[in-house]
């Protein structure tokens, strides 16, 4: 446990003298004999700032760092005054990063990661370490990511992963996500992307559905039937103009759920080919109107905030691994 003598004017403490204050942080937030209100400890400030983003509020960061909420608030105000920019949008209900805050957060994460890497290298350990938060669809996790994870975890035993399975677009800042695996066009110009390949989109139904309703022989006939759809807005183009307003009688929040309902014979669906390849081969699903409905094409990317050279080492090695071994063809 690090010990430091803290002077009364230290901006990282509550404002009253605390002799031999014990800090839980990996960094000494107070420098013995130095009033850091005049000589700011930028690494410590960045660490507090990053912890605020991670916990979502000043109180959570204060608890994690054994500081008072008022000390955290004063530190942020001092940082904003020195930088000449507002880092957070504050309200009674939530705390959100400004655009300047997003940029500063990405750089601060990278700088702190480099400090940690320098300390590990000086101590004889050169392997990256830390937690990576990844957002991806369940379909990609099950069929592409899961098979390549054992090798990655064996290569980097000090890296841990939080994997959030969701087909909805992740807000990387609000959700504190390092990397998101996204399908479809990229509308957010602030993100950097690495291509992971593409897949055909196939309209298919279960044999039980075909037995019940018959094999459609035209696009117009297929349009009269119910179909499975997504329960959130998607950037993908409309694949079939419906014959009535509510054609998506059943909507699901993820592609794997849609696949399961299609297999159960609920309705036809348009699904990524890599997710139903075995279902088509084994006859559990049948492609509909292959000569009349042209397959769509969906691209996959690994996206992140900030420039590649500013990424923490743990995130960089994960991106490299996924780019080499997690592509879709």
């Amino acid at each position: 446990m690090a010990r430091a003598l803290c002077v009364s004017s230290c901006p990282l403490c509550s404002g009253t003298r605390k002799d031999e204050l014990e800090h839980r942080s990996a960094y000494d937030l107070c420098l013995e004999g130095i009033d850091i209100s005049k000589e700011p400890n930028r690494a410590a400030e960045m660490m507090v700032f990053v912890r605020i983003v991670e916990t979502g509020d000043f109180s959570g960061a204060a608890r994690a760092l054994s500081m008072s909420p008022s000390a955290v608030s004063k530190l942020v105000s001092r940082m904003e005054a020195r930088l000449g920019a507002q880092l957070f949008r504050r309200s009674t209900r939530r705390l959100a990063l400004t655009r300047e805050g997003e940029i500063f957060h990405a750089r601060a994460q990278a700088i702190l990661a480099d400090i940690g890497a320098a300390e590990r290298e000086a101590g004889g350990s050169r392997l990256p370490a830390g937690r990576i938060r990844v957002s991806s669809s369940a379909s990609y996790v099950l069929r592409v990511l899961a098979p390549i994870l054992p090798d990655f975890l064996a290569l980097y035993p000090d890296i841990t992963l939080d994997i959030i399975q969701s087909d909805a677009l992740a807000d990387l800042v609000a959700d504190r996500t390092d990397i998101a695996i996204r399908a479809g066009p990229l509308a957010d110009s602030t993100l950097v992307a690495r291509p992971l390949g593409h897949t055909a989109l196939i309209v298919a139904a279960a044999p039980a559905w075909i037995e019940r309703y018959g094999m459609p022989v035209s696009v117009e006939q297929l349009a009269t039937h119910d179909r499975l759809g997504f329960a959130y807005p998607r950037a993908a183009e409309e694949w079939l103009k419906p014959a009535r307003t509510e054609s998506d009688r059943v909507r699901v929040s993820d592609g794997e759920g849609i696949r399961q309902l299609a297999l159960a014979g609920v309705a036809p669906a348009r699904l990524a080919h890599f997710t139903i390849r075995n279902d088509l081969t084994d006859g559990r699903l049948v492609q509909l109107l292959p000569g009349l409905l042209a397959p769509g094409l969906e691209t996959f990317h690994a996206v992140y905030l900030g420039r590649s050279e500013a990424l923490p080492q743990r995130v960089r090695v994960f991106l490299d691994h996924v780019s080499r071994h997690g592509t879709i063809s």
Side-chain angles (χ1 to χ4, degrees):
M1 184 76 72
R3 289 181 179 268
L5 294 178
C6 181
V7 297
S8 60
S9 58
C10 173
L12 293 176
C13 297
S14 61
T16 59
R17 186 174 183 85
K18 297 181 179 180
D19 292 331
E20 296 190 343
L21 177 69
E22 290 193 347
H23 293 281
R24 297 178 187 173
S25 162
Y27 300 95
D28 284 337
L29 299 185
C30 303
L31 300 180
E32 184 173 0
I34 298 176
D35 182 350
I36 62 175
S37 62
K38 297 177 182 178
E39 299 289 341
N41 183 342
R42 287 178 169 82
E45 288 182 345
M46 288 181 182
M47 188 194 64
V48 175
F49 173 78
V50 169
R51 191 59 60 90
I52 293 169
V53 177
E54 290 174 350
T55 59
D57 56 34
F58 289 178
S59 297
R63 286 192 298 271
L65 297 171
S66 296
M67 297 168 61
S68 69
S70 63
V72 172
S73 179
K74 289 176 183 177
L75 180 142
V76 172
S77 297
R78 239 182 293 269
M79 288 176 61
E80 290 177 329
R82 190 179 73 248
L83 297 173
Q86 184 179 0
L87 300 176
F88 292 102
R89 286 188 294 271
R90 301 164 176 83
S91 71
T92 56
R93 301 183 63 183
R94 68 189 298 259
L95 194 69
L97 286 170
T98 61
R99 176 61 185 144
E100 292 77 12
E102 292 176 5
I103 295 170
F104 188 77
H105 179 248
R107 293 303 301 249
Q109 281 188 309
I111 290 169
L112 292 175
D114 286 341
I115 291 174
E119 290 180 341
R120 287 192 300 274
E121 289 179 12
S125 172
R126 297 179 179 272
L127 290 177
R131 185 171 299 277
I132 306 172
R133 188 173 172 89
V134 181
S135 173
S136 174
S137 67
S139 298
Y140 183 87
V141 171
L142 290 172
R143 291 172 180 80
V144 183
L145 187 59
I148 68 172
L149 276 185
D151 286 345
F152 176 80
L153 296 174
L155 283 171
Y156 304 105
D158 295 325
I159 289 180
T160 55
L161 293 172
D162 285 345
I163 299 175
I164 298 87
Q165 294 187 168
S166 173
D167 278 24
L169 297 181
D171 184 329
L172 271 64
V173 175
D175 298 337
R176 303 190 295 281
T177 299
D178 296 303
I179 302 168
I181 310 297
R182 287 186 174 176
L186 299 175
D188 192 339
S189 61
T190 65
L191 299 177
V192 183
R194 288 200 191 183
L196 297 178
H198 58 268
T199 184
L201 296 171
I202 305 296
V203 179
W209 183 89
I210 296 172
E211 184 177 349
R212 187 179 304 117
Y213 296 104
M215 176 68 79
V217 296
S218 68
V219 175
E220 293 75 18
Q221 183 184 2
L222 178 59
T224 64
H225 292 285
D226 295 331
R227 66 186 185 189
L228 299 171
F230 285 87
Y232 58 87
R234 280 172 57 84
E237 73 279 3
E238 183 71 32
W239 60 274
L240 182 65
K241 186 174 181 179
R244 59 188 187 282
T245 303
E246 289 295 333
S247 61
D248 291 347
R249 190 173 182 186
V250 179
R251 296 189 296 176
V252 188
S253 62
D254 69 278
E256 193 59 29
I258 290 180
R259 171 181 169 268
Q260 291 296 332
L261 292 180
L263 287 169
V266 174
R270 187 171 78 155
L271 293 161
H273 182 257
F274 81 96
T275 68
I276 60 170
R277 182 186 296 115
N278 293 337
D279 298 324
L280 293 170
T281 300
D282 297 339
R284 292 187 294 270
L285 288 176
V286 178
Q287 184 176 358
L288 302 182
L289 304 176
L292 298 175
L293 275 178
L297 196 66
E298 193 162 57
T299 57
F300 280 74
H301 295 87
V303 300
Y304 53 93
L305 285 168
R307 302 192 310 273
S308 298
E309 62 270 20
L311 284 174
Q313 188 183 16
R314 67 183 187 281
V315 177
R316 193 179 304 125
V317 296
F318 183 83
L319 275 170
D320 291 342
H321 189 80
V322 169
S323 299
R324 285 194 299 267
H325 305 292
T327 56
I328 298 170
S329 59

CSV table of all heavy atoms in Angstrom, one decimal, residues 147-190:
chain,number,residue,atom,x,y,z
A,147,PRO,N,-14.0,-19.6,-31.4
A,147,PRO,CA,-13.0,-20.5,-31.8
A,147,PRO,C,-11.6,-20.0,-31.7
A,147,PRO,O,-10.6,-20.7,-31.6
A,147,PRO,CB,-13.4,-20.9,-33.2
A,147,PRO,CG,-14.8,-20.6,-33.3
A,147,PRO,CD,-15.0,-19.4,-32.4
A,148,ILE,N,-11.4,-18.6,-31.8
A,148,ILE,CA,-10.1,-18.0,-31.8
A,148,ILE,C,-9.6,-17.5,-30.5
A,148,ILE,O,-8.5,-17.0,-30.3
A,148,ILE,CB,-10.0,-16.9,-32.9
A,148,ILE,CG1,-10.8,-15.7,-32.5
A,148,ILE,CG2,-10.4,-17.5,-34.3
A,148,ILE,CD1,-10.6,-14.5,-33.5
A,149,LEU,N,-10.5,-17.5,-29.5
A,149,LEU,CA,-10.2,-16.9,-28.2
A,149,LEU,C,-9.2,-17.8,-27.4
A,149,LEU,O,-8.3,-17.2,-26.7
A,149,LEU,CB,-11.4,-16.7,-27.3
A,149,LEU,CG,-12.2,-15.4,-27.6
A,149,LEU,CD1,-13.3,-15.3,-26.6
A,149,LEU,CD2,-11.3,-14.2,-27.5
A,150,PRO,N,-9.2,-19.1,-27.4
A,150,PRO,CA,-8.3,-19.9,-26.6
A,150,PRO,C,-6.8,-19.5,-26.9
A,150,PRO,O,-6.0,-19.4,-26.0
A,150,PRO,CB,-8.6,-21.3,-27.0
A,150,PRO,CG,-10.1,-21.3,-27.3
A,150,PRO,CD,-10.3,-20.0,-28.0
A,151,ASP,N,-6.5,-19.4,-28.2
A,151,ASP,CA,-5.1,-19.1,-28.6
A,151,ASP,C,-4.7,-17.7,-28.1
A,151,ASP,O,-3.6,-17.5,-27.6
A,151,ASP,CB,-4.9,-19.2,-30.1
A,151,ASP,CG,-4.9,-20.6,-30.6
A,151,ASP,OD1,-4.7,-21.5,-29.8
A,151,ASP,OD2,-5.1,-20.8,-31.8
A,152,PHE,N,-5.7,-16.7,-28.2
A,152,PHE,CA,-5.4,-15.4,-27.8
A,152,PHE,C,-5.1,-15.3,-26.3
A,152,PHE,O,-4.2,-14.7,-25.8
A,152,PHE,CB,-6.6,-14.4,-28.1
A,152,PHE,CG,-6.4,-13.0,-27.6
A,152,PHE,CD1,-5.6,-12.1,-28.3
A,152,PHE,CD2,-7.0,-12.6,-26.5
A,152,PHE,CE1,-5.4,-10.8,-27.8
A,152,PHE,CE2,-6.8,-11.3,-26.0
A,152,PHE,CZ,-6.0,-10.4,-26.7
A,153,LEU,N,-6.0,-16.0,-25.5
A,153,LEU,CA,-5.9,-16.0,-24.0
A,153,LEU,C,-4.6,-16.7,-23.6
A,153,LEU,O,-4.0,-16.4,-22.6
A,153,LEU,CB,-7.1,-16.6,-23.4
A,153,LEU,CG,-8.4,-15.8,-23.6
A,153,LEU,CD1,-9.6,-16.6,-23.1
A,153,LEU,CD2,-8.3,-14.4,-23.0
A,154,ALA,N,-4.2,-17.7,-24.4
A,154,ALA,CA,-2.9,-18.4,-24.0
A,154,ALA,C,-1.7,-17.5,-24.3
A,154,ALA,O,-0.7,-17.5,-23.6
A,154,ALA,CB,-2.9,-19.7,-24.8
A,155,LEU,N,-1.8,-16.7,-25.4
A,155,LEU,CA,-0.7,-15.8,-25.7
A,155,LEU,C,-0.6,-14.7,-24.7
A,155,LEU,O,0.5,-14.2,-24.4
A,155,LEU,CB,-0.9,-15.2,-27.1
A,155,LEU,CG,-0.6,-16.1,-28.3
A,155,LEU,CD1,-1.1,-15.5,-29.6
A,155,LEU,CD2,0.9,-16.4,-28.4
A,156,TYR,N,-1.7,-14.2,-24.2
A,156,TYR,CA,-1.7,-13.0,-23.3
A,156,TYR,C,-2.5,-13.4,-22.0
A,156,TYR,O,-3.6,-13.0,-21.8
A,156,TYR,CB,-2.4,-11.9,-24.0
A,156,TYR,CG,-1.7,-11.5,-25.3
A,156,TYR,CD1,-2.3,-11.9,-26.5
A,156,TYR,CD2,-0.5,-10.9,-25.3
A,156,TYR,CE1,-1.7,-11.6,-27.7
A,156,TYR,CE2,0.1,-10.6,-26.6
A,156,TYR,CZ,-0.5,-10.9,-27.7
A,156,TYR,OH,0.1,-10.6,-28.9
A,157,PRO,N,-1.8,-14.1,-21.1
A,157,PRO,CA,-2.5,-14.6,-19.9
A,157,PRO,C,-2.9,-13.5,-18.9
A,157,PRO,O,-3.7,-13.7,-18.0
A,157,PRO,CB,-1.4,-15.5,-19.2
A,157,PRO,CG,-0.1,-15.0,-19.8
A,157,PRO,CD,-0.4,-14.5,-21.2
A,158,ASP,N,-2.4,-12.2,-19.1
A,158,ASP,CA,-2.7,-11.2,-18.2
A,158,ASP,C,-3.8,-10.3,-18.7
A,158,ASP,O,-4.2,-9.2,-18.1
A,158,ASP,CB,-1.5,-10.3,-17.9
A,158,ASP,CG,-0.4,-11.1,-17.1
A,158,ASP,OD1,-0.8,-11.9,-16.3
A,158,ASP,OD2,0.8,-10.8,-17.4
A,159,ILE,N,-4.4,-10.6,-19.9
A,159,ILE,CA,-5.5,-9.9,-20.4
A,159,ILE,C,-6.8,-10.6,-20.1
A,159,ILE,O,-6.9,-11.8,-20.2
A,159,ILE,CB,-5.4,-9.7,-22.0
A,159,ILE,CG1,-4.3,-8.8,-22.3
A,159,ILE,CG2,-6.7,-9.3,-22.6
A,159,ILE,CD1,-4.0,-8.6,-23.8
A,160,THR,N,-7.8,-9.8,-19.7
A,160,THR,CA,-9.1,-10.3,-19.4
A,160,THR,C,-10.1,-9.6,-20.3
A,160,THR,O,-9.9,-8.5,-20.8
A,160,THR,CB,-9.6,-10.0,-17.9
A,160,THR,OG1,-9.4,-8.7,-17.6
A,160,THR,CG2,-8.7,-10.8,-17.0
A,161,LEU,N,-11.2,-10.3,-20.6
A,161,LEU,CA,-12.2,-9.8,-21.6
A,161,LEU,C,-13.6,-9.7,-20.9
A,161,LEU,O,-14.0,-10.6,-20.2
A,161,LEU,CB,-12.3,-10.8,-22.8
A,161,LEU,CG,-11.1,-10.9,-23.7
A,161,LEU,CD1,-11.3,-12.0,-24.7
A,161,LEU,CD2,-10.8,-9.6,-24.4
A,162,ASP,N,-14.3,-8.6,-21.3
A,162,ASP,CA,-15.7,-8.5,-21.0
A,162,ASP,C,-16.4,-8.5,-22.4
A,162,ASP,O,-16.1,-7.6,-23.2
A,162,ASP,CB,-16.1,-7.2,-20.3
A,162,ASP,CG,-15.7,-7.2,-18.8
A,162,ASP,OD1,-15.5,-8.3,-18.3
A,162,ASP,OD2,-15.7,-6.1,-18.2
A,163,ILE,N,-17.2,-9.5,-22.7
A,163,ILE,CA,-17.8,-9.6,-24.0
A,163,ILE,C,-19.3,-9.3,-23.9
A,163,ILE,O,-20.0,-10.0,-23.2
A,163,ILE,CB,-17.6,-11.0,-24.7
A,163,ILE,CG1,-16.1,-11.2,-24.9
A,163,ILE,CG2,-18.3,-11.1,-26.0
A,163,ILE,CD1,-15.7,-12.6,-25.4
A,164,ILE,N,-19.8,-8.3,-24.5
A,164,ILE,CA,-21.2,-7.9,-24.5
A,164,ILE,C,-21.9,-8.3,-25.8
A,164,ILE,O,-21.5,-7.8,-26.8
A,164,ILE,CB,-21.4,-6.4,-24.2
A,164,ILE,CG1,-20.8,-6.0,-22.9
A,164,ILE,CG2,-22.9,-6.0,-24.2
A,164,ILE,CD1,-19.3,-5.6,-23.0
A,165,GLN,N,-22.8,-9.2,-25.7
A,165,GLN,CA,-23.5,-9.7,-26.9
A,165,GLN,C,-24.7,-8.9,-27.2
A,165,GLN,O,-25.7,-8.9,-26.5
A,165,GLN,CB,-23.8,-11.2,-26.7
A,165,GLN,CG,-22.6,-12.1,-26.6
A,165,GLN,CD,-23.0,-13.6,-26.6
A,165,GLN,OE1,-22.1,-14.4,-26.8
A,165,GLN,NE2,-24.2,-13.9,-26.5
A,166,SER,N,-24.7,-8.2,-28.3
A,166,SER,CA,-25.8,-7.4,-28.7
A,166,SER,C,-25.7,-7.1,-30.2
A,166,SER,O,-24.6,-6.8,-30.7
A,166,SER,CB,-25.9,-6.1,-27.9
A,166,SER,OG,-26.9,-5.3,-28.4
A,167,ASP,N,-26.8,-7.1,-30.9
A,167,ASP,CA,-26.8,-6.7,-32.3
A,167,ASP,C,-26.9,-5.2,-32.5
A,167,ASP,O,-26.7,-4.7,-33.6
A,167,ASP,CB,-27.9,-7.4,-33.1
A,167,ASP,CG,-27.5,-8.8,-33.5
A,167,ASP,OD1,-26.6,-9.4,-32.8
A,167,ASP,OD2,-28.1,-9.4,-34.5
A,168,ALA,N,-27.4,-4.5,-31.5
A,168,ALA,CA,-27.6,-3.1,-31.6
A,168,ALA,C,-26.3,-2.3,-31.6
A,168,ALA,O,-25.3,-2.8,-31.1
A,168,ALA,CB,-28.4,-2.6,-30.4
A,169,LEU,N,-26.3,-1.2,-32.3
A,169,LEU,CA,-25.0,-0.4,-32.4
A,169,LEU,C,-24.6,0.1,-31.0
A,169,LEU,O,-25.4,0.7,-30.3
A,169,LEU,CB,-25.2,0.8,-33.3
A,169,LEU,CG,-25.5,0.4,-34.8
A,169,LEU,CD1,-25.7,1.7,-35.6
A,169,LEU,CD2,-24.5,-0.5,-35.4
A,170,ALA,N,-23.4,-0.2,-30.6
A,170,ALA,CA,-22.8,0.2,-29.3
A,170,ALA,C,-22.3,1.7,-29.4
A,170,ALA,O,-21.7,2.1,-30.3
A,170,ALA,CB,-21.7,-0.7,-28.9
A,171,ASP,N,-22.6,2.4,-28.3
A,171,ASP,CA,-22.0,3.7,-28.1
A,171,ASP,C,-20.8,3.5,-27.4
A,171,ASP,O,-20.8,3.3,-26.1
A,171,ASP,CB,-23.0,4.6,-27.4
A,171,ASP,CG,-22.5,6.1,-27.2
A,171,ASP,OD1,-21.3,6.2,-27.1
A,171,ASP,OD2,-23.3,7.0,-27.1
A,172,LEU,N,-19.6,3.6,-28.0
A,172,LEU,CA,-18.4,3.2,-27.4
A,172,LEU,C,-18.0,4.0,-26.2
A,172,LEU,O,-17.4,3.5,-25.3
A,172,LEU,CB,-17.2,3.2,-28.5
A,172,LEU,CG,-17.0,2.0,-29.3
A,172,LEU,CD1,-18.2,1.7,-30.2
A,172,LEU,CD2,-15.8,2.1,-30.2
A,173,VAL,N,-18.4,5.3,-26.2
A,173,VAL,CA,-18.1,6.1,-25.1
A,173,VAL,C,-19.0,5.9,-23.9
A,173,VAL,O,-18.6,5.6,-22.8
A,173,VAL,CB,-18.1,7.6,-25.5
A,173,VAL,CG1,-17.9,8.5,-24.3
A,173,VAL,CG2,-17.0,7.9,-26.6
A,174,ALA,N,-20.3,6.0,-24.2
A,174,ALA,CA,-21.3,5.8,-23.1
A,174,ALA,C,-21.2,4.4,-22.5
A,174,ALA,O,-21.4,4.2,-21.3
A,174,ALA,CB,-22.7,6.1,-23.7
A,175,ASP,N,-21.0,3.4,-23.4
A,175,ASP,CA,-20.9,2.0,-22.9
A,175,ASP,C,-19.5,1.6,-22.4
A,175,ASP,O,-19.3,0.4,-22.1
A,175,ASP,CB,-21.4,1.0,-24.0
A,175,ASP,CG,-22.8,1.3,-24.4
A,175,ASP,OD1,-23.6,1.8,-23.6
A,175,ASP,OD2,-23.2,0.9,-25.5
A,176,ARG,N,-18.6,2.5,-22.5
A,176,ARG,CA,-17.2,2.2,-22.1
A,176,ARG,C,-16.6,1.0,-22.8
A,176,ARG,O,-16.1,0.1,-22.2
A,176,ARG,CB,-17.1,2.1,-20.6
A,176,ARG,CG,-17.6,3.3,-19.8
A,176,ARG,CD,-17.2,3.3,-18.3
A,176,ARG,NE,-17.9,2.2,-17.6
A,176,ARG,CZ,-19.2,2.2,-17.2
A,176,ARG,NH1,-19.9,3.3,-17.5
A,176,ARG,NH2,-19.7,1.2,-16.6
A,177,THR,N,-16.8,1.0,-24.1
A,177,THR,CA,-16.5,-0.2,-24.9
A,177,THR,C,-15.2,0.1,-25.7
A,177,THR,O,-15.0,1.2,-26.2
A,177,THR,CB,-17.6,-0.5,-26.0
A,177,THR,OG1,-18.8,-0.8,-25.3
A,177,THR,CG2,-17.2,-1.7,-26.8
A,178,ASP,N,-14.2,-0.8,-25.6
A,178,ASP,CA,-12.9,-0.6,-26.3
A,178,ASP,C,-13.1,-0.9,-27.8
A,178,ASP,O,-12.5,-0.2,-28.6
A,178,ASP,CB,-11.9,-1.6,-25.7
A,178,ASP,CG,-11.5,-1.2,-24.3
A,178,ASP,OD1,-11.2,0.0,-24.0
A,178,ASP,OD2,-11.7,-2.1,-23.4
A,179,ILE,N,-13.8,-2.0,-28.1
A,179,ILE,CA,-13.9,-2.5,-29.5
A,179,ILE,C,-15.3,-3.0,-29.7
A,179,ILE,O,-15.9,-3.7,-28.9
A,179,ILE,CB,-12.9,-3.6,-29.8
A,179,ILE,CG1,-11.5,-3.2,-29.6
A,179,ILE,CG2,-13.1,-4.1,-31.3
A,179,ILE,CD1,-10.5,-4.4,-29.6
A,180,ALA,N,-15.9,-2.6,-30.9
A,180,ALA,CA,-17.2,-3.2,-31.3
A,180,ALA,C,-17.1,-3.9,-32.6
A,180,ALA,O,-16.4,-3.3,-33.5
A,180,ALA,CB,-18.2,-2.1,-31.3
A,181,ILE,N,-17.6,-5.0,-32.7
A,181,ILE,CA,-17.7,-5.7,-34.0
A,181,ILE,C,-19.0,-5.4,-34.6
A,181,ILE,O,-20.1,-5.7,-34.1
A,181,ILE,CB,-17.6,-7.3,-33.9
A,181,ILE,CG1,-16.3,-7.6,-33.0
A,181,ILE,CG2,-17.5,-7.9,-35.2
A,181,ILE,CD1,-15.0,-7.2,-33.6
A,182,ARG,N,-19.0,-4.6,-35.7
A,182,ARG,CA,-20.2,-4.1,-36.3
A,182,ARG,C,-20.5,-4.7,-37.7
A,182,ARG,O,-19.5,-4.9,-38.5
A,182,ARG,CB,-20.2,-2.6,-36.4
A,182,ARG,CG,-20.4,-1.9,-35.0
A,182,ARG,CD,-20.5,-0.4,-35.2
A,182,ARG,NE,-20.8,0.2,-33.9
A,182,ARG,CZ,-20.9,1.5,-33.8
A,182,ARG,NH1,-20.7,2.3,-34.8
A,182,ARG,NH2,-21.1,2.1,-32.6
A,183,ALA,N,-21.7,-4.9,-38.0
A,183,ALA,CA,-22.1,-5.4,-39.4
A,183,ALA,C,-22.8,-4.2,-40.1
A,183,ALA,O,-23.6,-3.5,-39.4
A,183,ALA,CB,-23.0,-6.6,-39.3
A,184,GLY,N,-22.6,-4.1,-41.4
A,184,GLY,CA,-23.3,-3.0,-42.1
A,184,GLY,C,-22.4,-1.8,-42.3
A,184,GLY,O,-21.3,-1.7,-41.9
A,185,PRO,N,-23.0,-0.8,-43.0
A,185,PRO,CA,-22.2,0.4,-43.3
A,185,PRO,C,-21.9,1.2,-42.0
A,185,PRO,O,-22.6,1.1,-41.0
A,185,PRO,CB,-23.2,1.2,-44.2
A,185,PRO,CG,-24.5,0.7,-43.9
A,185,PRO,CD,-24.3,-0.8,-43.6
A,186,LEU,N,-20.8,1.9,-42.0
A,186,LEU,CA,-20.4,2.7,-40.9
A,186,LEU,C,-20.8,4.2,-41.1
A,186,LEU,O,-20.2,4.8,-41.9
A,186,LEU,CB,-18.8,2.6,-40.7
A,186,LEU,CG,-18.3,1.2,-40.4
A,186,LEU,CD1,-16.8,1.2,-40.4
A,186,LEU,CD2,-18.9,0.6,-39.2
A,187,ALA,N,-21.7,4.6,-40.2
A,187,ALA,CA,-22.2,6.0,-40.4
A,187,ALA,C,-21.4,6.9,-39.5
A,187,ALA,O,-21.4,8.2,-39.7
A,187,ALA,CB,-23.7,6.0,-40.1
A,188,ASP,N,-20.8,6.4,-38.4
A,188,ASP,CA,-20.1,7.3,-37.5
A,188,ASP,C,-18.7,7.6,-37.9
A,188,ASP,O,-17.8,6.7,-37.9
A,188,ASP,CB,-20.1,6.6,-36.1
A,188,ASP,CG,-19.7,7.6,-35.0
A,188,ASP,OD1,-19.0,8.6,-35.3
A,188,ASP,OD2,-20.0,7.3,-33.8
A,189,SER,N,-18.4,8.8,-38.4
A,189,SER,CA,-17.1,9.2,-38.9
A,189,SER,C,-16.0,9.3,-37.9
A,189,SER,O,-14.9,9.4,-38.2
A,189,SER,CB,-17.2,10.5,-39.7
A,189,SER,OG,-17.6,11.5,-38.9
A,190,THR,N,-16.4,9.3,-36.6
A,190,THR,CA,-15.4,9.5,-35.5
A,190,THR,C,-14.8,8.1,-35.2
A,190,THR,O,-13.8,8.1,-34.4
A,190,THR,CB,-16.1,10.0,-34.2
A,190,THR,OG1,-17.0,9.1,-33.7
A,190,THR,CG2,-16.8,11.3,-34.5
